Amino acid sequence: MKVTAEKNEKVANMIFATIYPLYLNRLEKNGRTKEELDQVIKWFTGFDQDTLQTLIDEKVTFGTFFQKAKIHSNAHMIKGVVCGYRIEEIEDEFELYKQCRQMEKLIDELARGRKMEKILREEKK
């Protein structure tokens, strides 16, 4: 599937605080914890716990959320399909949409029981 400017805009305007509980609910149904969810989000975005909580409390949009993030240098290693979109094929002009899908891929892997050390990708030496 191709990302459109409308789709990118729609995601940019979604409120992170309304989606976060949905992520958490899915993970808890699969035996994972809020701490694990936060660990994955913090790894990907570079936020600390206080900043993450502030962004949730302030009900920021995904646009603002990813603007403030310092995306992990190994984010390019996140590949695969999420919601019908192959992450590595999302065009650079839709960077926000790509970042959202990358984060969702990490959360998806967590929900499926993947080990944390595999989710938090590290370059092989």
Side-chain angles (χ1 to χ4, degrees):
M1 291 200 304
K2 299 274 292 166
V3 180
T4 62
E6 294 79 24
K7 190 78 125 163
N8 195 61
E9 187 69 22
K10 185 178 177 185
V11 169
N13 291 323
M14 290 170 44
I15 306 296
F16 178 73
T18 61
I19 306 301
Y20 180 86
L22 302 176
Y23 292 152
L24 182 58
N25 188 32
R26 175 168 182 231
L27 290 173
E28 288 178 338
K29 282 183 191 172
N30 288 291
R32 302 310 283 253
T33 65
K34 178 184 185 304
E35 290 72 25
E36 289 172 311
L37 172 60
D38 289 353
Q39 181 181 357
V40 167
I41 293 172
K42 291 184 296 189
W43 175 86
F44 184 65
T45 61
F47 296 141
D48 60 24
Q49 189 64 45
D50 291 340
T51 304
L52 178 59
Q53 191 58 54
T54 298
L55 294 170
I56 292 169
D57 294 343
E58 290 177 355
K59 295 183 174 25
V60 300
T61 63
F62 271 98
T64 302
F65 182 83
F66 285 115
Q67 240 174 15
K68 292 179 181 286
K70 289 178 180 52
I71 301 301
H72 197 282
S73 59
N74 288 346
H76 68 279
M77 297 170 72
I78 303 168
K79 295 178 171 34
V81 178
V82 177
C83 299
Y85 292 91
R86 179 156 290 285
I87 292 169
E88 54 272 33
E89 293 176 1
I90 298 173
E91 296 90 353
D92 291 343
E93 66 183 295
F94 303 120
E95 188 65 24
L96 177 126
Y97 193 84
K98 185 175 193 170
Q99 291 169 345
C100 184
R101 292 297 179 213
Q102 286 173 317
M103 187 170 75
E104 288 177 356
K105 179 70 174 171
L106 299 176
I107 294 167
D108 189 49
E109 290 174 353
L110 187 61
R112 292 182 176 181
R114 195 164 193 211
K115 289 182 171 28
M116 191 62 79
E117 54 270 11
K118 294 215 183 260
I119 297 170
L120 308 182
R121 289 149 170 85
E122 292 297 325
E123 295 279 359
K124 291 189 170 83
K125 301 203 176 183

